[in-house]
Amino acid sequence: MSTSQKVVVVTGASQGIGAEIVKAFRKLDYRVVATARSVSPSDDPDLLTVAGDIADPATAQRVIAAAVERFGRVDTLVNNAGIFIAKPFTQYAAEDYAAAIGVNVSGFFHITQRAIAEMEKHASGHVVTITTSLVDHAIDGVPSVLASLTKGGLNAATRSLAIEYAKRGIRANAVSPGIIKSPMHAEQTHAALGALHPMGHMGEMSDIVNAVLYLDAAPFVTGEILHVDGGQSAGH
Ligand SMILES: NC(=O)c1ccc[n+]([C@@H]2O[C@H](COP(=O)([O-])OP(=O)(O)OC[C@H]3O[C@@H](n4cnc5c(N)ncnc54)[C@H](OP(=O)(O)O)[C@@H]3O)[C@@H](O)[C@H]2O)c1
């Protein structure tokens, strides 16, 4: 088993931003482990897919075990799986709360724990997590406490991990998007969503992919929350 190529694990890889991140890392000749509930098998020998619910610790266990068994190590983890449920606060159902905590928080916790345990063996690694700029600026008319509660925790956990592992060769960063043209948003909503950014338009999936690639190639950057949000977090 050759371990000269770098190995990246990408969650939420069946569509949208995650699927684009997978393509970008393959172009850079990384070996990729892609996971989501509905991810499809691949003919590419350097792309392993593992289907599962990221909220389930057993999925995290299977994904990291498969990465190590097939490719020998884990260099980068991209925590991209996420759900967004916008509702007035008092209308959130118990199922909404459980789903947001399950995917966004448990889905980060279990796989990050297992990935960092592998990275520690080589004193090297990088965890990059996709959050949201709603954490820094709530928007009138877009009630989304569950996004702020869960992704705000991920920004804080990113800084905490960065400090805990700063002297041990493992970096932790986040990309904080504005609203991005992905399958999450129907095309007829794009004009209204674009107007929520100082730049007046939505972001492209490539904007987020490029930020992830930058952070992965930036050895002196850790604990960074990189806003890629058309100016949203800067002000209105
Ligand atoms: N698009 C935006 O405007 C925007 C803005 C800010 C932040 N973000 C964040 O960016 C990330 C990617 O978003 P996107 O726009 O690409 O969304 P998307 O098109 O809805 O894709 C979400 C991905 O997450 C996976 N996923 C959802 N629930 C899962 C579960 N229980 N277990 C495993 N995988 C699960 C989905 O795969 P399966 O359904 O196959 O499981 C899918 O691959 C998310 O973290 C999102 O919060 C997006």
Side-chain angles (χ1 to χ4, degrees), residues 11-19 35-39 52-55 59 79-84 102-104 130-133 151 175-185 202 205 208:
T11 73
S14 62
Q15 66 168 37
I17 295 167
T35 184
R37 289 166 304 179
S38 64
V39 76
D53 183 340
I54 199 65
T59 301
N79 284 307
N80 166 78
I83 57 171
F84 177 65
V103 179
N104 295 0
I130 313 299
T131 64
T132 168
S133 284
K151 301 278 191 170
V175 176
S176 176
I179 310 173
I180 305 300
K181 290 181 193 164
S182 81
M184 191 180 267
H185 306 292
M202 293 172 74
M205 293 196 282
I208 307 307

Side-chain angles (χ1 to χ4, degrees), residues 65-147:
V68 173
E69 192 192 328
R70 174 86 163 255
F71 299 137
R73 63 176 198 235
V74 176
D75 296 286
T76 298
L77 167 65
V78 184
N79 284 307
N80 166 78
I83 57 171
F84 177 65
I85 308 170
K87 277 186 186 175
F89 183 60
T90 56
Q91 289 177 27
Y92 277 122
E95 294 74 28
D96 297 327
Y97 177 76
I101 297 289
V103 179
N104 295 0
V105 179
S106 304
F108 163 90
F109 181 82
H110 298 301
I111 199 162
T112 302
Q113 213 177 30
R114 284 160 180 80
I116 288 183
E118 281 306 315
M119 293 169 184
E120 280 185 298
K121 294 178 186 169
H122 306 276
S124 166
H126 181 216
V127 177
V128 57
T129 299
I130 313 299
T131 64
T132 168
S133 284
L134 279 168
V135 167
D136 304 296
H137 77 119
I139 302 178
D140 188 20
V142 187
S144 46
V145 166
L146 282 182

